Amino acid sequence: MSTWSDAPKIQGPPQTGDVAVLLDYVKKLANITAKMAKDLEFILNGNVAFDNIRTNGIEAKNIKAGSITTEKLQAGSVTADKIMVNELSAISANLGHIIAGLIESVEIYGSYIATRRGGYPRAEMSQTEDMFSTYASPSSYVKMAAVGTANGSPQLTLSGGGDSVILYQQSQRSLLHSTKNLMVSSSYDIELSPSSRGRVWVSFAQLCDNDTGKSLSELLGLG
């Protein structure tokens, strides 16, 4: 189907008395009129094809809904400044890989968020077990979980090279667990201050002198 922009011009009748020339003019005029009528009928029936549209020639409000189908759209022919929606949900599609932009005042559910993709160090937030975490490497990290692996209570895990310290509430007497020796070091006194009704519990057999290696129980002659 031809476009309106390149449709032949209708010229005035030739100023001649030659019957053959006049007959040829009438035939051409009939052909042009028939083609234009066919194009016009096609458009008025709701079929708008790109060969009928000139740049900026038809506004969106003048295009009938459903009259342009995807097979009529050339790849890359629709640009962002030609799309206007009030909500992104109006576009039903997988947005794919977004590499730039700014998102403000939104609610995001069920997502994985990381400060780096496939590298270290990085911070992560997800809906799985490691809800908040920071990684220096796969084996060196700080991880916060709402449901811990020990007994289902909230859990904070500090791991370095395979050794870990886990902070969680297992019972009324257990709060901290370590896979290796746990060292508490301070430039000042280390003070354990339970409430007036509480006590500091420790086994004399496990409380040892750093210089002699003997337990308090041995030093007191209790065992």
Side-chain angles (χ1 to χ4, degrees):
M1 178 169 291
S2 63
T3 62
W4 287 96
S5 60
D6 61 0
K9 303 292 185 180
I10 300 178
Q11 301 177 352
Q15 302 299 318
T16 179
D18 190 331
V19 176
V21 174
L22 293 175
L23 182 60
D24 182 66
Y25 169 77
V26 172
K27 289 181 178 179
K28 290 181 179 180
L29 181 61
N31 289 335
I32 293 174
T33 304
K35 179 175 289 188
M36 294 180 65
K38 184 177 180 181
D39 288 349
L40 183 59
E41 179 183 6
F42 180 80
I43 294 175
L44 293 178
N45 285 335
N47 300 303
V48 180
F50 274 99
D51 54 3
N52 302 122
I53 301 176
R54 294 179 299 173
T55 304
N56 298 326
I58 299 180
E59 297 180 1
K61 63 182 180 180
N62 296 324
I63 299 178
K64 181 181 177 181
S67 60
I68 299 180
T69 56
T70 53
E71 62 268 15
K72 300 296 183 180
L73 297 176
Q74 182 180 358
S77 61
V78 180
T79 56
D81 59 344
K82 300 298 189 298
I83 301 175
M84 182 179 67
V85 294
N86 293 328
E87 295 183 5
L88 194 60
S89 58
I91 304 175
S92 179
N94 186 339
L95 297 181
H97 184 191
I98 301 175
I99 59 175
L102 175 65
I103 301 177
E104 293 183 350
S105 301
V106 297
E107 295 181 359
I108 301 176
Y109 300 96
S111 298
Y112 169 79
I113 300 174
T115 56
R116 178 177 292 182
R117 185 176 185 178
Y120 300 95
R122 72 169 179 260
E124 297 180 355
M125 181 175 64
S126 72
Q127 63 176 343
T128 58
E129 177 257 337
D130 54 334
M131 302 191 72
F132 295 94
S133 56
T134 57
Y135 287 84
S137 69
S139 60
S140 181
Y141 56 83
V142 177
K143 183 185 299 185
M144 182 185 299
V147 180
T149 57
N151 65 341
S153 68
Q155 176 175 306
L156 180 65
T157 304
L158 293 86
S159 178
D163 299 331
S164 62
V165 175
I166 303 175
L167 179 64
Y168 65 97
Q169 185 177 2
Q170 184 177 14
S171 65
Q172 293 181 351
R173 294 185 179 181
S174 179
L175 185 64
L176 188 65
H177 171 76
S178 175
T179 57
K180 296 292 184 179
N181 294 335
L182 179 63
M183 178 181 292
V184 179
S185 177
S186 174
S187 300
Y188 299 93
D189 294 340
I190 297 175
E191 182 178 352
L192 301 176
S193 301
S195 66
S196 59
R197 299 180 58 184
R199 290 186 260 178
V200 177
W201 294 85
V202 63
S203 169
F204 282 6
Q206 292 178 310
L207 186 61
C208 299
D209 177 59
N210 190 53
D211 295 327
T212 63
K214 293 183 178 182
S215 68
L216 181 59
S217 178
E218 291 174 322
L219 294 174
L220 294 176
L222 300 176

